[in-house]
Amino acid sequence: MITPHPQMLRALLSRYATARVQLVEADTLANRRLLEDVAYTLCVTTGTREINDALAAAEQILTARPVSTGSHPTPGQEQADQTLVA
């Protein structure tokens, strides 16, 4: 399975949290659609079908990968670190 890039996952999680807040503040059709769209994208990105599974998968992916420090990769890391960047 291709692993999504951590930065992309963090951005999606941020968008999901913002969409949830917006829906609580104003339950409009536009806000519901926004939340559904972000939830769908998270599910597709994590290879899941339900948002709770997508959130759990995202957390697992983010906690399993060390945060990049900008240093050079260790030998063999480039090949093992195949990530999906959108």
Side-chain angles (χ1 to χ4, degrees), residues 67-84:
V67 175
S68 175
T69 59
S71 62
H72 296 285
T74 58
Q77 182 181 4
E78 295 141 347
Q79 192 172 25
D81 192 22
Q82 295 179 359
T83 57
L84 176 64

Side-chain angles (χ1 to χ4, degrees), residues 14-55:
S14 177
R15 286 179 51 205
Y16 180 76
T18 299
R20 285 190 58 166
V21 168
Q22 287 176 330
L23 184 62
V24 168
E25 290 175 348
D27 188 356
T28 65
L29 181 58
N31 285 343
R32 281 184 292 217
R33 284 187 178 158
L34 175 63
L35 182 61
E36 289 172 6
D37 288 347
V38 176
Y40 173 81
T41 304
L42 267 169
C43 287
V44 170
T45 302
T46 57
T48 59
R49 292 184 175 205
E50 300 292 329
I51 187 59
N52 289 334
D53 295 336
L55 295 172

